[in-house]
Amino acid sequence: LSGEARLIKRLLAGTEIGVSGRFEIAASQSEIAHDIGASREFVSRQLQMLKSLGLVALGRKSIIVRDVNELRRFDGARSTTDK
């Protein structure tokens, strides 16, 4: 998986298939980077891109997925264009 795909999978980890709406992840960007085997700088750039698309909001030591289903759709659309 690409770094972006690993990040999105990590953001969606812990959400149930039926879960929709807002979801908060209590983790720092450094912790997320460690979890997915990437640099904090990479995670920061990717989260800023997701933020600019309105998919996430960034807090102090937390990441808020604004809409779980939208992030899943974004991941699915990105995955089909990567093939």
Side-chain angles (χ1 to χ4, degrees):
L1 291 175
S2 70
E4 182 181 275
R6 290 192 316 268
L7 173 61
I8 292 172
K9 299 293 182 222
R10 171 60 179 87
L11 294 178
L12 292 173
T15 64
E16 306 279 330
I17 294 297
V19 170
S20 63
R22 193 168 184 215
F23 182 79
E24 185 170 357
I25 299 150
S28 69
Q29 292 181 16
S30 294
E31 292 167 331
I32 298 280
H34 180 266
D35 290 349
I36 67 168
S39 70
R40 190 204 55 78
E41 292 79 10
F42 172 82
V43 169
S44 178
R45 283 192 307 272
Q46 293 300 307
L47 288 172
Q48 287 300 323
M49 183 267 302
L50 293 172
K51 180 182 174 188
S52 73
L53 295 172
L55 296 171
V56 301
L58 306 175
R60 185 164 176 83
K61 293 197 174 187
S62 70
I63 300 160
I64 299 163
V65 175
R66 292 180 179 262
D67 187 319
V68 170
N69 288 332
E70 282 298 317
L71 186 58
R72 283 189 187 116
R73 278 192 282 281
F74 174 80
D75 185 39
R78 185 202 44 75
S79 295
T80 58
T81 58
D82 286 350
K83 293 181 181 176

